[in-house]
Amino acid sequence: MSNLTLHVPMAEPENISTLEWTRPDQVMQLHRMKLKKRALQARINKMTTIDTQQTTTNLDVLNSSNNILQCISYCQKRKNPFAINETCKKKKNITSAGLEISNDNTLFELLNINTQREKLTDVSIKDSLTFTNVLSKLDYTSQTSDINVSKGAKYIPIDWTLKTIIKFMSPKPFPWTSKLKTSEEASGTTGFVRCLNIGEKETTLDTSPNARFHQCCLTWQHPSLPWLELFPRSAGKVSSSLANNALIINNQNMKDALYREWCDSFRSLFHLLRARQCPYFYVCANTFTVLFRAAGICGLSEIHALVTPTTRGFRHLLKQEEIEYSMPLRKDSKKRFDVTDSDSKTAYAVFNIVDCQQENDNYEKEDEETQDAWLESLGVENSEIKKINYNSQTRMTLEKESEVDSLSQSLVFVKGVETQALFNFLINCKSAIAVTGALAGVPPTLLAPTAFHGATLKPFKIRESIVRDNNDKYYSLELKGPLLPHVLPSLCHLMKSSQLEQYSASCAQLITTSSFSAAKHGIDYAIVTRGENHDTTIPLNVFGQENLSDCGFNEELLSHFCSPDPARIVVLDSLKFYKGLYTWS
């Protein structure tokens, strides 16, 4: 009994320990292993029966023919149970071909790059709803509707929209690289600062494509605070900028110093513009952007400026300062009804609009009369009724004026002596500098193609890459920064002189400045001088180009910006150069 009593306690701890170290996942793993063994055993049994049947068949064939070679050939022709039938192969080929068409190759077609690709003969592929087929249909309709896309032009349109990114794509390598030698960087910087045309005139500077390319990738900016991004002034990076700008926000002396330096720079730049030694410049505030252009640009004989977007309060301040302005993009009801059209449907629609507005006016008059009668029945005096009507009319007028606030239609255009008044207004305008926010106390950003007091020379950020698409290879060049309107034509002129036959460019724009190009300010006529024998027609851009000869642009670039044709002013999203012609959209 003693031995028995000692044996039982020893067995129980062993069982308890084994139960404690057996986890549920181990139990399930053992269960899954048993299931796999059973399935494998069943599969082996099934294959054994199949093999025995095939062996029996093979023996019958061997006994009947008594030919070993025939038996071997039969074994080779035995059908593979895992092979894919022909119909599945065709479907797979069609699907893979369709997917190959609809992959990233369409990005290059969006950039209007002509690529040589294999043409599929299968009708089902051609009629399939792939991204490429949709693009080809859209391209066909756009080519039939747009004259510029089908024919092309030898000139580049003018776009006054500020751009943040320009990306070039070419099937051939560009004649320059972003890695510059010491002499190339020095010569490009010297050529830009001194406004020298190092590519066409004899000079001791480096005239390599790299030096000329670096000359096109520089701009002047004020102020320049390395810890703040002052272009574009978007509200997307408020949190990071607010932390970086804490020093300026809490220091009034620093705010005053920045404002004094900005006033000196702004005044210097405006004087250069009046002297026609600067073709244009931009003033980028937090809520609006101003474009100042010298006399002669776009064929206009006077200095002028454009402001966008504006609000009713900003325009009210201009009226208080007695600054005369116009709003060329605003849809005025009176001007809209004066337009005539040969199409009867359009004319009918216009007359319907006029009738509807007249009916609305009549209803409003009737409502006012009924309201006046109702107020008189309550015993309200006529003087009080007039005050009420005046207040309601004033409120309605203010609401109509506020309809275009912060839109492209709110663009303001001033010219002549009013431009000087606008300069005085902006230099003393407290609303141009934000009081709160990420850029509180920081004056507006000044951007110009020529040097001025307090300006900082800023290079663009350049990135090169190679894009591969199957057997095709494309070279990509991306420029990022405050890209002024002269950058794109300068680079296109450089590529043309470098004999680059084909390339395309796509632009990322600052949308708030697109109305500068939408205004299309230009003059269609020229000065005609009467002579004894015949009349002589002198284009207006001849005078502007001659007067702006010291503004820093070469002759070709200056004639480009002095063109008085408003049809050349376009909001440019993409550009393509092929066989000496430019097409754009």
Side-chain angles (χ1 to χ4, degrees):
M1 291 297 289
S2 61
N3 294 331
L4 182 61
T5 55
L6 291 172
H7 178 71
V8 172
M10 290 176 65
E12 288 178 358
E14 291 179 358
N15 294 331
I16 292 171
S17 62
T18 55
L19 290 174
E20 287 178 355
W21 287 101
T22 303
R23 295 190 299 273
D25 56 347
Q26 294 178 352
V27 175
M28 293 304 298
Q29 186 176 4
L30 293 173
H31 180 66
R32 285 193 293 268
M33 289 291 294
K34 289 180 181 180
L35 293 178
K36 289 181 180 179
K37 287 181 180 179
R38 292 175 185 174
L40 182 61
Q41 187 67 32
R43 189 182 301 171
I44 292 172
N45 295 334
K46 186 176 180 181
M47 293 298 295
T48 304
T49 56
I50 293 172
D51 290 339
T52 54
Q53 292 177 2
Q54 289 181 354
T55 305
T56 305
T57 307
N58 293 338
L59 290 173
D60 293 338
V61 173
L62 184 61
N63 294 329
S64 61
S65 60
N66 294 324
N67 192 349
I68 298 175
L69 296 175
Q70 185 176 3
C71 179
I72 294 171
S73 63
Y74 176 78
C75 293
Q76 290 178 352
K77 293 181 181 179
R78 187 174 67 85
K79 185 176 180 181
N80 186 4
F82 299 102
I84 302 174
N85 56 10
E86 297 296 328
T87 56
C88 293
K89 282 185 178 180
K90 289 182 180 180
K91 291 181 180 180
K92 184 177 180 180
N93 293 333
I94 292 172
T95 307
S96 62
L99 291 173
E100 184 178 359
I101 295 173
S102 61
N103 63 3
D104 290 341
N105 304 341
T106 53
L107 293 176
F108 302 103
E109 296 184 4
L110 286 172
L111 297 173
N112 294 326
I113 297 178
N114 293 328
T115 56
Q116 296 179 354
R117 308 197 182 281
E118 297 179 356
K119 296 182 179 179
L120 299 175
T121 57
D122 196 347
V123 179
S124 62
I125 298 175
K126 291 181 180 180
D127 296 335
S128 62
L129 189 60
T130 59
F131 196 26
T132 304
N133 291 340
V134 175
L135 280 175
S136 62
K137 293 178 182 179
L138 291 175
D139 290 339
Y140 176 75
T141 55
S142 63
Q143 287 177 2
T144 55
S145 61
D146 194 354
I147 299 175
N148 288 332
V149 174
S150 60
K151 294 183 179 180
K154 294 184 178 180
Y155 63 89
I156 303 173
I158 304 173
D159 187 9
W160 294 102
T161 306
L162 283 172
K163 299 175 179 59
T164 56
I165 299 175
I166 295 179
K167 188 172 185 179
F168 290 92
M169 300 285 290
S170 173
K172 294 183 179 180
F174 294 99
W176 52 78
T177 59
S178 59
K179 297 180 180 179
L180 301 174
K181 298 179 181 178
T182 303
S183 61
E184 293 171 345
E185 182 178 356
S187 299
T189 304
T190 302
F192 178 76
V193 172
R194 299 180 183 177
C195 301
L196 301 176
N197 191 4
I198 62 176
E200 298 178 0
K201 295 182 180 181
E202 295 183 0
T203 179
T204 58
L205 299 175
D206 192 343
T207 59
S208 62
N210 273 358
R212 297 174 61 190
F213 173 70
H214 182 63
Q215 184 179 0
C216 299
C217 298
L218 297 171
T219 188
W220 295 99
Q221 176 181 328
H222 179 86
S224 179
L225 304 176
W227 63 92
L228 290 177
E229 185 176 353
L230 300 181
F231 180 87
R233 294 205 171 202
S234 59
K237 299 180 180 180
V238 173
S239 58
S240 60
S241 299
L242 188 61
N244 296 332
N245 197 27
L247 182 62
I248 300 177
I249 295 174
N250 300 323
N251 195 329
Q252 186 63 34
N253 294 330
M254 192 175 292
K255 292 180 183 179
D256 296 338
L258 284 173
Y259 177 70
R260 287 193 300 269
E261 290 291 330
W262 180 81
C263 290
D264 294 338
S265 300
F266 189 20
R267 189 177 293 105
S268 170
L269 197 51
F270 186 73
H271 290 169
L272 288 171
L273 190 79
R274 291 183 59 188
R276 300 184 182 182
Q277 294 180 7
C278 177
Y280 65 86
F281 68 91
Y282 287 83
V283 182
C284 302
N286 292 347
T287 57
F288 61 88
T289 306
V290 188
L291 169 61
F292 286 89
R293 296 192 300 206
I297 299 295
C298 292
L300 298 174
S301 59
E302 294 180 312
I303 186 174
H304 52 283
L306 300 95
V307 187
T308 185
T310 61
T311 59
R312 181 179 60 83
F314 183 85
R315 296 190 295 270
H316 181 66
L317 292 176
L318 294 180
K319 290 180 181 178
Q320 286 183 345
E321 296 293 331
E322 297 182 354
I323 299 175
E324 296 182 1
Y325 63 88
S326 61
M327 301 177 68
L329 296 180
R330 184 173 182 177
K331 296 179 180 179
D332 192 0
S333 59
K334 294 181 179 179
K335 294 182 180 179
R336 182 175 57 190
F337 298 141
D338 291 338
V339 178
T340 59
D341 196 343
S342 57
D343 192 0
S344 60
K345 293 181 180 180
T346 306
Y348 179 73
V350 170
F351 285 127
N352 282 339
I353 293 172
V354 176
D355 293 338
C356 291
Q357 286 205 351
Q358 288 179 353
E359 290 179 0
N360 291 333
D361 294 338
N362 293 331
Y363 283 134
E364 289 178 359
K365 290 180 180 179
E366 291 178 359
D367 292 338
E368 290 178 359
E369 291 177 356
T370 54
Q371 288 177 2
D372 294 345
W374 179 69
L375 290 173
E376 288 179 357
S377 64
L378 294 177
V380 180
E381 298 180 357
N382 292 331
S383 59
E384 296 295 332
I385 294 174
K386 290 181 180 179
K387 289 181 181 180
I388 294 172
N389 292 334
Y390 176 77
N391 293 331
S392 61
Q393 290 178 358
T394 304
R395 186 178 66 257
M396 293 175 61
T397 304
L398 294 177
E399 290 178 355
K400 289 182 179 179
E401 290 182 357
S402 302
E403 289 178 354
V404 296
D405 285 358
S406 303
L407 300 178
S408 59
Q409 291 84 1
S410 64
L411 178 133
V412 168
F413 174 71
V414 298
K415 63 178 180 179
V417 295
E418 305 299 332
T419 309
Q420 177 69 47
L422 179 64
F423 165 75
N424 296 332
F425 169 75
L426 291 176
I427 207 169
N428 297 315
C429 182
K430 295 182 179 180
S431 61
I433 302 176
V435 181
T436 59
L439 299 176
V442 181
T445 306
L446 303 176
L447 300 172
T450 55
F452 57 95
H453 289 176
T456 303
L457 187 63
K458 302 283 289 186
F460 302 150
K461 295 180 181 179
I462 303 170
R463 187 178 66 179
E464 292 180 332
S465 60
I466 296 177
V467 181
R468 296 184 183 274
D469 176 47
N470 293 334
N471 296 327
D472 299 328
K473 183 168 67 173
Y474 298 94
Y475 296 88
S476 172
L477 181 68
E478 182 179 293
L479 283 74
K480 185 178 181 181
L483 303 172
L484 300 182
H486 72 279
V487 174
L488 182 60
S490 299
L491 291 173
C492 291
H493 175 67
L494 180 58
M495 293 182 184
K496 188 176 180 181
S497 62
S498 301
Q499 298 180 354
L500 195 63
E501 298 177 354
Q502 180 183 357
Y503 62 87
S504 64
S506 57
C507 307
Q509 302 174 350
L510 192 62
I511 301 175
T512 55
T513 61
S514 61
S515 54
F516 289 147
S517 296
K520 291 184 179 293
H521 282 285
I523 301 176
D524 295 324
Y525 59 85
I527 296 176
V528 179
T529 58
R530 303 291 181 181
E532 295 179 356
N533 298 327
H534 62 279
D535 299 337
T536 304
T537 304
I538 303 174
L540 287 175
N541 60 337
V542 172
F543 297 103
Q545 186 173 347
E546 186 65 26
N547 295 329
L548 290 168
S549 58
D550 296 330
C551 71
F553 288 168
N554 55 33
E555 294 181 0
E556 183 176 357
L557 192 61
L558 189 57
S559 62
H560 172 71
F561 282 99
C562 290
S563 175
D565 187 7
R568 289 196 176 191
I569 304 175
V570 178
V571 179
L572 196 63
D573 291 328
S574 62
L575 180 74
K576 176 186 173 183
F577 178 78
Y578 183 66
K579 292 183 178 180
L581 296 177
Y582 295 97
T583 55
W584 58 84
S585 61

